[in-house]
């Protein structure tokens, strides 16, 4: 069984705002990498997490997103696939995590209308 690595690209957008662009799999083996990267964001109050490049997110990945949320002022998820959106809805996490109304389709983000 091959395990795809998680790549995290950090971009500082403005004072107190940073974007984490994730590529790969956010699962049991890689979720600690996201938590560690977020721990390095000293003083950042707004974190955008771009998930368009994430092919798999399991319950460990969801847990890591919650840990990140607790460590910073606010997070916003972008590039959320339809499958991940369904997981967030079913677990009630859409109530806790701000999800931008976009859907990742074949690597491209399409803004949903409505």
């Amino acid at each position: 069984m091959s395990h795809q690595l998680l790549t995290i690209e950090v971009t500082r957008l403005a004072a107190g705002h940073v974007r984490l662009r994730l590529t790969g799999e956010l699962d049991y083996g890689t979720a600690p990498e996201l938590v560690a990267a977020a721990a390095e964001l000293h003083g950042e109050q707004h974190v955008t997490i771009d998930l368009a490049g994430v092919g798999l997110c399991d319950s460990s990945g969801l847990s890591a997103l919650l840990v990140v949320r607790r460590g910073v002022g606010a997070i916003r998820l972008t590039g959320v696939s339809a499958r991940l959106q369904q997981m967030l809805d079913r677990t009630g996490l859409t109530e806790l995590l701000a999800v931008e109304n976009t859907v990742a389709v074949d690597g491209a983000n399409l803004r949903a209308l409505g």
Side-chain angles (χ1 to χ4, degrees):
M1 176 194 233
S2 72
H3 181 75
Q4 187 177 356
L5 299 176
L6 180 68
T7 302
I8 303 171
E9 176 187 322
V10 179
T11 306
R12 300 205 185 278
L13 302 172
H17 192 140
V18 67
R19 179 181 62 223
L20 302 178
R21 180 172 291 154
L22 280 54
T23 305
E25 296 180 353
L26 184 56
D27 60 11
Y28 179 79
T30 61
E33 296 174 39
L34 175 58
V35 173
E40 299 292 320
L41 303 177
H42 306 290
E44 303 295 347
Q45 288 114 16
H46 301 283
V47 177
T48 298
I49 301 177
D50 182 351
L51 298 166
V54 173
L56 170 79
C57 180
D58 69 5
S59 61
S60 297
L62 295 179
S63 178
L65 292 172
L66 290 174
V67 170
V68 172
R69 180 184 175 268
R70 277 187 256 143
V72 298
I75 69 168
R76 181 172 55 107
L77 305 179
T78 64
V80 175
S81 68
R83 184 176 184 148
L84 179 54
Q85 182 66 56
Q86 187 177 40
M87 284 179 58
L88 293 169
D89 291 341
R90 286 185 177 176
T91 58
L93 293 179
T94 50
E95 300 297 321
L96 297 174
L97 303 171
V99 180
E100 186 175 288
N101 199 17
T102 61
V103 178
V105 178
D106 295 329
N109 288 339
L110 302 175
R111 186 164 304 278
L113 302 175

